[in-house]
């Protein structure tokens, strides 16, 4: 369905997307996971044809986005981060407007608006002006706008940032349902839990590069020393960190500047925990809290980059 080949984009002399490549099959739900500034929005803007790329190629159903923009427009629905709605128009009229932009008219357009309102759970607010809606409700109508022309591929850019938990859950359930109904999805986020919940395959992006790609199981199997023992420290000690590094069964110890957290990667945390604590304390570290985290995409990101997704 989608092929992204060695995509590149620079602003001035700063390369913000560097050789990004991936493919997505029809019916997949693909997550692009990375921290703020990683290059997610830039990548998907190029996929949608909203931003020209410097190098590389994007093919949607084997056709170049550059050469066949109209073909792409029909196949793709885009939910941008910015709300693209008219604040003084009603929810219903906004959807009708977007339907017209995609060539829907007459009773077909009207009935599609009702279907979409029902799908995003806002039929009872249809007549009200967008400016009276909460941030989460605006996002839901924004998603509705992208669904009006029944696209084959839905691309969403961090659709749950800054909204209330109820709308967030509604959006996640909506995306899940769309994918179950056969729609192909690209979902960008810096929230690991959302990507893990929604996506069957994930590309992890950092500094404009895809640094890992695969199913969650494939990605987590790359973790050297599956679990992480996270120590929140009240008193730092370089000697303690060095002593932890030299312990048996410890794969990696990650510290961050100006952070009170030390992450210790281990295979069997419950067997090594006692030893970790004793060693740290004996070497002058004062520990405030301990948490054992099971392997997940967040811990993989931490191991690959030394940073957390929310840094
Ligand atoms: P993400 O969506 O992962 O948060 P973006 O794709 O928005 O990341 O941004 C990637 C990098 O490109 C950032 O460093 C950002 O500051 C930079 N960037 C994005 N848009 C522009 C622009 N129009 N001009 C200059 N730099 C930009």
């Amino acid at each position: 369905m989608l092929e992204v080949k060695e995509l590149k984009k620079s602003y001035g002399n700063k390369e913000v997307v560097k050789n990004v490549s991936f493919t997505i099959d029809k019916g997949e739900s693909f997550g692009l996971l990375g921290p703020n500034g990683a290059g997610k929005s830039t990548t998907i803007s190029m996929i949608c044809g909203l931003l020209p790329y410097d190098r590389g190629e994007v093919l949607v159903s084997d056709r170049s986005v550059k050469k066949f923009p109209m073909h792409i427009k029909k196949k793709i629905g885009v939910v941008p981060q910015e709300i693209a709605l008219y604040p003084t128009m009603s929810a219903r009229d906004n959807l009708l407007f977007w339907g017209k932009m995609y060539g829907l008219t007459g009773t077909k357009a009207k009935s599609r608006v009702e279907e979409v309102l029902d799908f995003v759970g806002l039929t009872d607010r249809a007549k009200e002006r967008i400016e009276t809606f909460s941030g989460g409700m605006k996002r839901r109508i924004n998603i509705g706008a992208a669904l009006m022309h029944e696209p084959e591929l839905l691309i969403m850019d961090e659709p749950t940032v800054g909204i209330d938990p109820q709308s967030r859950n509604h959006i996640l359930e909506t995306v899940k349902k769309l994918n179950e109904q056969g729609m192909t999805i690209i979902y960008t986020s810096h929230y690991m839990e959302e990507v893990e919940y929604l996506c069957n395959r994930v590309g992890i992006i950092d500094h404009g590069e895809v640094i890992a790609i695969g199913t969650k199981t494939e990605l987590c199997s790359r973790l050297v020393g599956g679990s992480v023992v996270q120590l929140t420290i009240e008193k730092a000690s370089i000697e303690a960190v060095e002593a932890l590094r030299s312990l048996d069964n410890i794969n990696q110890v990650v510290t961050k500047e100006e952070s009170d957290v030390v992450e210790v990667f281990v295979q069997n945390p419950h067997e090594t925990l006692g030893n970790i604590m004793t060693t740290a304390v004996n070497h002058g570290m004062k520990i405030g809290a301990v948490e054992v985290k099971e392997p997940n995409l967040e811990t993989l990101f931490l191991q690959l980059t030394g940073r957390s997704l929310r840094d």
Side-chain angles (χ1 to χ4, degrees):
M1 167 106 231
L2 175 76
E3 206 173 334
V4 178
K5 293 196 235 177
E6 297 177 7
L7 209 55
K8 285 190 179 189
K9 180 79 188 172
S10 295
Y11 288 111
N13 56 10
K14 189 177 172 205
E15 204 177 18
V16 298
V17 173
K18 309 168 189 170
N19 270 327
V20 164
S21 298
F22 57 87
T23 55
I24 301 176
D25 289 337
K26 203 169 168 45
E28 270 199 293
S29 176
F30 181 78
L32 204 52
L33 178 70
N36 285 329
K40 303 182 295 296
S41 297
T42 310
T43 302
I44 64 168
S45 298
M46 292 190 284
I47 294 173
C48 305
L50 296 172
L51 185 69
Y53 31 92
D54 298 342
R55 291 241 180 112
E57 185 59 289
V58 178
L59 303 175
V60 174
S61 306
D62 297 322
R63 287 199 176 168
S64 161
V65 166
K66 252 186 197 162
K67 292 185 194 142
F68 299 95
M70 291 315 285
H71 165 81
I72 306 307
K73 198 179 154 201
K74 279 192 200 141
K75 291 208 170 241
I76 292 183
V78 187
V79 184
Q81 257 184 51
E82 307 295 324
I83 303 287
L85 301 170
Y86 289 99
T88 55
M89 275 164 51
S90 70
R92 185 175 273 132
D93 287 344
N94 264 283
L95 291 177
L96 210 49
F97 169 81
W98 279 104
K100 278 194 186 137
M101 294 283 284
Y102 284 100
L104 290 178
T105 51
T107 48
K108 179 133 199 297
K110 283 189 180 153
S111 68
R112 183 66 188 148
V113 167
E114 298 314 312
E115 269 172 32
V116 167
L117 280 168
D118 182 46
F119 198 72
V120 298
L122 287 168
T123 303
D124 56 338
R125 306 289 300 261
K127 285 190 208 152
E128 292 171 40
R129 290 197 310 274
I130 289 296
E131 63 191 1
T132 67
F133 281 24
S134 71
M137 281 157 45
K138 285 181 194 163
R139 282 276 163 83
R140 281 153 66 182
I141 295 292
N142 221 27
I143 295 171
L147 294 174
M148 279 299 293
H149 63 300
E150 299 179 68
E152 288 176 38
L153 171 64
L154 182 68
I155 303 185
M156 313 182 82
D157 194 6
E158 306 230 30
T160 61
V161 167
I163 61 170
D164 58 282
Q166 197 192 346
S167 282
R168 176 176 181 258
N169 289 342
H170 198 283
I171 288 174
L172 294 179
E173 291 316 313
T174 303
V175 178
K176 190 108 188 151
K177 213 189 302 173
L178 286 166
N179 184 237
E180 281 165 6
Q181 290 171 359
M183 195 175 281
T184 311
I185 309 278
I186 300 181
Y187 190 94
T188 85
S189 183
H190 64 278
Y191 297 125
M192 176 210 63
E193 315 80 39
E194 293 187 2
V195 166
E196 283 197 354
Y197 175 65
L198 289 176
C199 303
N200 66 315
R201 218 153 51 83
V202 183
I204 300 183
I205 183 167
D206 189 39
H207 295 311
E209 280 180 280
V210 174
I211 54 174
I213 196 162
T215 63
K216 186 193 163 194
T217 314
E218 284 163 0
L219 289 172
C220 286
S221 70
R222 289 184 49 173
L223 268 166
V224 184
S227 306
V228 179
V229 176
Q230 188 179 69
L231 308 174
T232 306
I233 50 180
E234 287 171 7
K235 184 166 166 269
S237 156
I238 297 167
E239 295 78 39
V241 171
E242 288 312 316
L244 288 174
R245 286 197 171 119
S246 62
L247 283 180
D248 283 346
N249 305 318
I250 302 291
N251 294 294
Q252 195 177 355
V253 181
V254 176
T255 56
K256 291 177 226 162
E257 263 177 56
E258 295 180 22
S259 162
D260 57 357
V261 168
V262 174
E263 320 255 9
V264 185
F265 286 81
V266 289
Q267 206 63 50
N268 300 307
H270 301 291
E271 286 170 24
T272 12
L273 191 57
N275 209 1
I276 290 172
M277 301 285 283
T278 319
T279 306
V281 171
N282 286 349
H283 287 81
M285 193 178 267
K286 199 165 169 209
I287 298 168
V290 182
E291 194 184 342
V292 178
K293 295 178 170 183
E294 293 310 316
N296 60 29
L297 298 180
E298 175 86 43
T299 44
L300 177 66
F301 186 82
L302 179 71
Q303 189 164 74
L304 291 174
T305 67
R307 284 172 291 119
S308 97
L309 279 162
R310 279 160 226 200
D311 275 353

